[in-house]
Amino acid sequence: MDKDDYIGKSNNLFKDEKVYKKLNTNPINSIQNKVNKQVKNLFDKGFIDEVKRKSLTIYNSTLSKAYCLPKIHKEGCPMRPIISSVGAATYDLAKYINEILKISFENRTDYNVKNVFDFVDNLRGYNLKKGYVLISLDVVSLFTNISISLVKSILTERFEYIDEVVFFETLSIVADNTVFTFDMNIYKQTFGVPMGSPISPILALITMDYILDKVIPTLGYHLDFIKKYVDDIILAVPADKVDDILTKFNNYNSNIQFTIERENEGGWVPFLDTKVIRNKDNVIEFDWYTKAHLPDKLSRG
């Protein structure tokens, strides 16, 4: 990609005033002070010991850095922002929160698959019910569309073993202080879970599991199977309910919107770099999948 095209497209992303705010001054010292004050608060209240207090106390932190990757398989080659936050003032505190949440949530549901190999092992040879088809759902820009207020309401409902005041104070310091540089400018993320933070994947997982738990019981019909990896979902649904299921998911939260990929004429949908194929006997098979505009290097296994 031409450098000017890259910078121009990337800068256009950060003009979205719903998600980003351009700052005139560097807030790094203020953020570092907030983090260290909260670390002391956690220590004074007995949530962490002296060793943990020292490891979480921050000196000489740096601003996160943003770069963008082109989505070459999509029309117009839109950009995806990536934030490198190692060394940021909130990074270690985010890792601490992540450790707490992973213990309670990481393996909570049967929806989630660990990776492509786990997914294939789960479904290879699965006999799909008659009248069912495959679809995949994907969330549009997941991290920047999950509101922290939604996260807090989910955690309040489902996380029984926290001191809500102290935990949410700590979470807010991490979520409200995502600041990064791009093209000599400083931006603050003002909506969504913090991009590039260790806490974001677990918050996305918790939110997506919660949405599935809320939407699926309202469908009024059986799903033959449902599997998920972060925000990518594959389902086997009655052929006449495909439009309905997309509508139900998109009606749950106005910020979190899903796109759908239906079975093509060959009876397959893409999921986690695989083609998930419903063969003529309704048995699930797999092939490797490469997105358009990329070389097809792997053959059927």
Side-chain angles (χ1 to χ4, degrees):
M1 176 179 284
D2 177 82
K3 179 180 178 181
D4 290 340
D5 190 26
Y6 166 78
I7 292 175
K9 282 189 172 184
S10 300
N11 277 326
N12 282 336
L13 280 178
F14 303 129
K15 289 179 181 177
D16 184 351
E17 295 182 354
K18 174 192 170 185
V19 181
Y20 309 105
K21 178 182 179 182
K22 190 174 178 179
L23 303 181
N24 296 319
T25 58
N26 187 339
I28 193 68
N29 289 333
S30 172
I31 296 172
Q32 186 169 284
N33 289 337
K34 289 177 187 176
V35 168
N36 289 340
K37 183 178 178 181
Q38 185 63 9
V39 170
K40 183 179 183 300
N41 185 35
L42 291 169
F43 174 74
D44 290 343
K45 293 187 175 182
F47 290 101
I48 59 174
D49 59 20
E50 177 66 15
V51 174
K52 195 68 171 177
R53 183 190 70 80
K54 288 182 177 179
S55 72
L56 292 177
T57 301
I58 302 300
Y59 306 96
N60 302 318
S61 58
T62 59
L63 284 174
S64 300
K65 293 179 175 59
Y67 61 97
C68 295
L69 296 178
K71 301 179 184 179
I72 62 174
H73 59 287
K74 292 196 174 181
E75 186 177 351
C77 203
M79 307 298 283
R80 173 184 310 199
I82 307 292
I83 310 298
S84 176
S85 62
V86 176
T90 59
Y91 188 81
D92 289 338
L93 195 60
K95 285 177 66 177
Y96 168 68
I97 300 174
N98 179 56
E99 290 164 5
I100 294 171
L101 293 177
K102 283 179 73 174
I103 292 170
S104 295
F105 287 100
E106 190 172 42
N107 299 311
R108 196 188 64 80
T109 74
D110 294 330
Y111 306 134
N112 297 302
V113 294
K114 297 176 183 177
N115 51 46
V116 64
F117 304 106
D118 181 40
F119 171 62
V120 170
D121 287 344
N122 265 267
L123 285 180
R124 189 189 295 278
Y126 186 87
N127 202 331
L128 209 62
K129 289 185 177 178
K130 253 187 181 179
Y132 278 69
V133 295
L134 301 173
I135 62 170
S136 63
L137 299 175
D138 182 30
V139 179
V140 178
S141 302
L142 178 63
F143 284 7
T144 54
N145 281 303
I146 298 175
S147 70
I148 294 300
S149 61
L150 174 61
V151 169
K152 288 181 177 179
S153 69
I154 294 171
L155 292 178
T156 299
E157 180 178 329
R158 298 202 163 182
F159 199 10
E160 302 172 3
Y161 306 108
I162 59 171
D163 181 303
E164 285 185 21
V165 174
V166 175
F167 185 86
F168 287 149
E169 283 176 354
T170 310
L171 175 61
S172 292
I173 287 171
V174 172
D176 296 343
N177 291 284
T178 302
V179 180
F180 59 89
T181 62
F182 181 80
D183 193 29
M184 306 295 289
N185 294 310
I186 300 174
Y187 297 90
K188 179 177 183 179
Q189 184 182 341
T190 57
F191 191 87
V193 297
M195 293 188 298
S197 172
I199 199 175
S200 297
I202 190 68
L203 293 183
L205 181 146
I206 291 168
T207 302
M208 290 300 299
D209 283 350
Y210 183 82
I211 291 173
L212 291 175
D213 285 347
K214 292 297 183 180
V215 172
I216 289 173
T218 71
L219 296 178
Y221 45 85
H222 174 72
L223 300 177
D224 201 10
F225 71 76
I226 176 168
K227 297 294 177 183
K228 176 174 72 66
Y229 183 79
V230 190
D231 61 332
D232 290 330
I233 307 169
I234 186 165
L235 315 91
V237 304
D240 62 344
K241 299 297 183 182
V242 173
D243 291 332
D244 178 70
I245 199 166
L246 180 63
T247 299
K248 292 278 177 56
F249 273 94
N250 280 338
N251 284 345
Y252 183 77
N253 184 286
S254 60
N255 290 311
I256 301 173
Q257 294 295 289
F258 294 78
T259 59
I260 189 170
E261 188 137 7
R262 305 162 193 264
E263 270 190 22
N264 67 8
E265 291 181 0
W268 63 268
V269 294
F271 185 76
L272 281 186
D273 297 323
T274 70
K275 291 181 180 179
V276 187
I277 305 163
R278 178 174 61 88
N279 72 17
K280 59 184 174 68
D281 297 317
N282 264 20
V283 175
I284 299 296
E285 296 178 350
F286 291 92
D287 195 356
W288 293 112
Y289 172 72
T290 52
K291 293 175 179 176
H293 309 304
L294 294 177
D296 188 1
K297 297 183 291 185
L298 296 172
S299 58
R300 176 168 294 192

Coordinates of all heavy atoms in Angstrom, one line a residue, residues 56 64 83-102 106 143 171 174-175 178 193-206:
L56 N 3.0 -3.7 40.4 CA 1.9 -2.9 39.7 C 2.2 -1.4 39.7 O 1.6 -0.7 38.9 CB 0.6 -3.2 40.3 CG 0.0 -4.6 40.2 CD1 -1.4 -4.7 40.9 CD2 -0.2 -4.9 38.7
S64 N 0.9 4.3 24.4 CA 0.7 3.2 23.4 C 0.9 3.8 22.0 O 0.7 5.0 21.7 CB -0.7 2.6 23.6 OG -0.9 2.1 24.9
I83 N -3.5 -1.5 18.5 CA -2.8 -0.7 19.5 C -1.8 -1.6 20.2 O -2.1 -2.6 20.8 CB -3.8 -0.1 20.5 CG1 -5.0 0.5 19.8 CG2 -3.1 0.8 21.4 CD1 -4.6 1.7 19.0
S84 N -0.5 -1.1 20.2 CA 0.5 -1.8 21.0 C 0.7 -1.1 22.3 O 1.1 0.1 22.4 CB 1.9 -1.7 20.2 OG 2.9 -2.3 20.9
S85 N 0.3 -1.7 23.4 CA 0.2 -1.0 24.7 C 1.2 -1.5 25.7 O 1.1 -1.1 26.9 CB -1.3 -1.2 25.2 OG -1.6 -2.5 25.5
V86 N 2.1 -2.4 25.3 CA 3.1 -2.8 26.3 C 3.9 -1.6 26.7 O 4.4 -0.8 25.9 CB 4.1 -3.9 25.7 CG1 5.2 -4.2 26.6 CG2 3.3 -5.1 25.3
G87 N 4.0 -1.4 28.0 CA 4.7 -0.2 28.6 C 3.8 0.9 28.9 O 4.3 1.9 29.5
A88 N 2.5 0.8 28.5 CA 1.6 1.8 28.9 C 1.3 1.8 30.4 O 1.4 0.8 31.1 CB 0.3 1.6 28.1
A89 N 0.8 2.9 30.9 CA 0.6 3.1 32.3 C -0.4 2.1 32.9 O -0.3 1.6 34.0 CB 0.2 4.5 32.6
T90 N -1.4 1.7 32.1 CA -2.5 0.9 32.6 C -2.2 -0.6 32.3 O -3.0 -1.5 32.6 CB -3.8 1.2 31.9 OG1 -3.7 1.2 30.5 CG2 -4.2 2.7 32.3
Y91 N -1.1 -0.9 31.6 CA -0.9 -2.3 31.1 C -0.8 -3.3 32.2 O -1.5 -4.4 32.1 CB 0.4 -2.3 30.2 CG 0.6 -3.7 29.5 CD1 -0.1 -3.9 28.3 CD2 1.4 -4.7 30.0 CE1 0.1 -5.1 27.6 CE2 1.6 -5.9 29.3 CZ 0.9 -6.1 28.1 OH 1.0 -7.2 27.4
D92 N 0.0 -3.1 33.2 CA 0.1 -4.1 34.2 C -1.1 -4.3 35.1 O -1.5 -5.4 35.5 CB 1.3 -3.8 35.1 CG 2.7 -4.0 34.4 OD1 2.7 -4.8 33.4 OD2 3.7 -3.4 34.8
L93 N -1.8 -3.1 35.3 CA -3.1 -3.2 36.1 C -4.1 -4.0 35.3 O -4.9 -4.7 35.9 CB -3.5 -1.8 36.4 CG -4.6 -1.6 37.4 CD1 -4.2 -2.1 38.8 CD2 -5.0 -0.1 37.6
A94 N -4.1 -3.8 34.0 CA -5.0 -4.6 33.1 C -4.7 -6.0 33.2 O -5.7 -6.9 33.2 CB -5.0 -4.1 31.7
K95 N -3.5 -6.4 33.2 CA -3.1 -7.8 33.3 C -3.6 -8.4 34.7 O -4.0 -9.6 34.7 CB -1.6 -8.0 33.2 CG -1.0 -7.8 31.8 CD 0.5 -7.9 31.8 CE 1.0 -9.3 32.2 NZ 2.5 -9.3 32.1
Y96 N -3.5 -7.6 35.7 CA -4.0 -8.0 37.0 C -5.5 -8.3 37.0 O -6.0 -9.4 37.5 CB -3.7 -7.0 38.1 CG -4.4 -7.1 39.4 CD1 -4.0 -8.2 40.3 CD2 -5.4 -6.2 39.8 CE1 -4.7 -8.3 41.5 CE2 -6.0 -6.4 41.0 CZ -5.7 -7.4 41.9 OH -6.3 -7.6 43.1
I97 N -6.3 -7.4 36.4 CA -7.7 -7.6 36.3 C -8.0 -8.9 35.4 O -8.9 -9.7 35.7 CB -8.4 -6.4 35.7 CG1 -8.2 -5.2 36.6 CG2 -9.9 -6.6 35.5 CD1 -8.7 -3.9 36.0
N98 N -7.3 -9.0 34.3 CA -7.4 -10.1 33.4 C -7.3 -11.4 34.1 O -8.0 -12.4 33.9 CB -6.4 -10.0 32.3 CG -6.5 -11.1 31.3 OD1 -7.6 -11.4 30.7 ND2 -5.4 -11.8 31.0
E99 N -6.3 -11.5 35.0 CA -6.0 -12.8 35.7 C -7.2 -13.1 36.6 O -7.6 -14.3 36.7 CB -4.8 -12.6 36.6 CG -3.5 -12.5 35.8 CD -2.3 -12.0 36.7 OE1 -2.5 -11.7 37.9 OE2 -1.2 -11.8 36.1
I100 N -7.8 -12.1 37.2 CA -9.0 -12.4 38.1 C -10.2 -12.9 37.3 O -10.8 -13.9 37.6 CB -9.4 -11.1 38.8 CG1 -8.3 -10.6 39.8 CG2 -10.7 -11.2 39.5 CD1 -8.5 -9.3 40.4
L101 N -10.4 -12.2 36.1 CA -11.6 -12.6 35.3 C -11.4 -14.0 34.6 O -12.4 -14.7 34.5 CB -11.9 -11.5 34.3 CG -12.3 -10.2 34.8 CD1 -12.5 -9.2 33.7 CD2 -13.6 -10.3 35.6
K102 N -10.2 -14.3 34.2 CA -10.0 -15.5 33.5 C -10.3 -16.7 34.4 O -10.8 -17.8 33.9 CB -8.5 -15.6 33.0 CG -8.3 -14.8 31.8 CD -6.8 -14.9 31.3 CE -6.5 -16.2 30.7 NZ -5.2 -16.3 30.1
E106 N -13.1 -17.9 31.8 CA -12.5 -18.4 30.5 C -13.1 -19.7 30.0 O -13.3 -19.8 28.8 CB -11.0 -18.5 30.7 CG -10.3 -18.8 29.4 CD -8.8 -18.7 29.5 OE1 -8.3 -19.3 30.5 OE2 -8.1 -18.1 28.7
F143 N -14.5 -4.6 19.7 CA -13.9 -4.0 20.8 C -14.4 -2.5 21.0 O -14.6 -2.1 22.1 CB -12.4 -4.0 20.7 CG -11.8 -5.3 21.1 CD1 -12.5 -6.4 21.3 CD2 -10.4 -5.4 21.2 CE1 -12.0 -7.7 21.6 CE2 -9.8 -6.6 21.5 CZ -10.6 -7.8 21.7
L171 N -11.2 -1.2 37.1 CA -11.6 -1.4 35.8 C -11.8 -0.1 35.0 O -11.3 0.1 33.9 CB -12.9 -2.2 35.7 CG -13.5 -2.4 34.3 CD1 -12.6 -3.2 33.4 CD2 -14.9 -3.1 34.4
V174 N -8.5 1.6 34.0 CA -8.0 0.9 32.8 C -8.8 1.3 31.5 O -8.2 1.8 30.5 CB -7.9 -0.6 32.9 CG1 -7.5 -1.2 31.6 CG2 -7.0 -1.0 34.0
A175 N -10.1 1.2 31.6 CA -11.0 1.5 30.5 C -11.0 2.9 30.0 O -11.1 3.2 28.8 CB -12.4 1.0 30.8
T178 N -7.3 4.8 27.9 CA -6.6 4.2 26.7 C -6.2 5.4 25.8 O -7.0 6.0 25.1 CB -7.6 3.3 25.9 OG1 -8.0 2.2 26.8 CG2 -6.9 2.7 24.7
V193 N -14.3 -1.3 24.8 CA -13.3 -1.8 25.7 C -11.9 -1.4 25.1 O -11.8 -1.3 23.9 CB -13.4 -3.4 25.8 CG1 -14.7 -3.8 26.5 CG2 -13.2 -4.1 24.5
P194 N -10.9 -1.3 26.0 CA -9.6 -0.7 25.5 C -8.9 -1.5 24.5 O -8.5 -2.7 24.8 CB -8.8 -0.4 26.8 CG -9.5 -1.4 27.8 CD -10.9 -1.5 27.4
M195 N -8.7 -1.0 23.3 CA -7.9 -1.8 22.3 C -6.5 -1.9 22.7 O -5.9 -1.0 23.3 CB -8.0 -1.0 21.0 CG -9.4 -1.0 20.3 SD -9.4 -0.3 18.7 CE -8.8 1.3 19.0
G196 N -5.9 -3.1 22.5 CA -4.6 -3.4 22.8 C -4.3 -3.7 24.2 O -3.2 -4.0 24.6
S197 N -5.3 -3.7 25.1 CA -5.1 -4.0 26.5 C -5.3 -5.5 26.8 O -6.1 -6.2 26.2 CB -6.2 -3.2 27.3 OG -6.2 -3.6 28.6
P198 N -4.5 -6.0 27.8 CA -4.7 -7.4 28.1 C -6.1 -7.8 28.6 O -6.5 -8.9 28.6 CB -3.7 -7.6 29.3 CG -2.7 -6.5 29.1 CD -3.5 -5.3 28.5
I199 N -6.9 -6.8 29.0 CA -8.2 -7.0 29.5 C -9.3 -7.2 28.4 O -10.3 -7.8 28.7 CB -8.6 -5.9 30.5 CG1 -9.8 -6.4 31.4 CG2 -9.0 -4.7 29.7 CD1 -10.1 -5.4 32.5
S200 N -9.0 -6.7 27.2 CA -10.0 -6.7 26.2 C -10.5 -8.0 25.7 O -11.7 -8.2 25.6 CB -9.6 -5.8 25.0 OG -9.3 -4.5 25.4
P201 N -9.7 -9.0 25.5 CA -10.2 -10.3 25.0 C -11.1 -11.0 26.0 O -12.1 -11.5 25.6 CB -8.9 -11.1 24.8 CG -7.8 -10.1 24.5 CD -8.2 -9.0 25.4
I202 N -10.8 -10.9 27.3 CA -11.7 -11.6 28.3 C -13.0 -10.8 28.4 O -14.1 -11.4 28.6 CB -11.0 -11.8 29.6 CG1 -11.8 -12.7 30.6 CG2 -10.7 -10.4 30.3 CD1 -11.9 -14.1 30.1
L203 N -13.0 -9.5 28.3 CA -14.2 -8.7 28.4 C -15.1 -9.0 27.1 O -16.3 -9.1 27.3 CB -13.9 -7.2 28.5 CG -13.3 -6.8 29.8 CD1 -13.1 -5.2 29.7 CD2 -14.1 -7.2 31.0
A204 N -14.5 -9.2 26.0 CA -15.2 -9.5 24.8 C -15.8 -10.9 24.9 O -17.0 -11.1 24.5 CB -14.3 -9.5 23.6
L205 N -15.1 -11.9 25.4 CA -15.6 -13.2 25.6 C -16.8 -13.2 26.6 O -17.8 -13.8 26.3 CB -14.4 -14.1 26.2 CG -14.8 -15.6 26.4 CD1 -13.6 -16.5 26.1 CD2 -15.2 -15.8 27.9
I206 N -16.6 -12.5 27.7 CA -17.7 -12.5 28.7 C -19.0 -11.9 28.1 O -20.1 -12.4 28.2 CB -17.3 -11.6 29.9 CG1 -16.2 -12.4 30.7 CG2 -18.5 -11.3 30.8 CD1 -15.5 -11.5 31.7

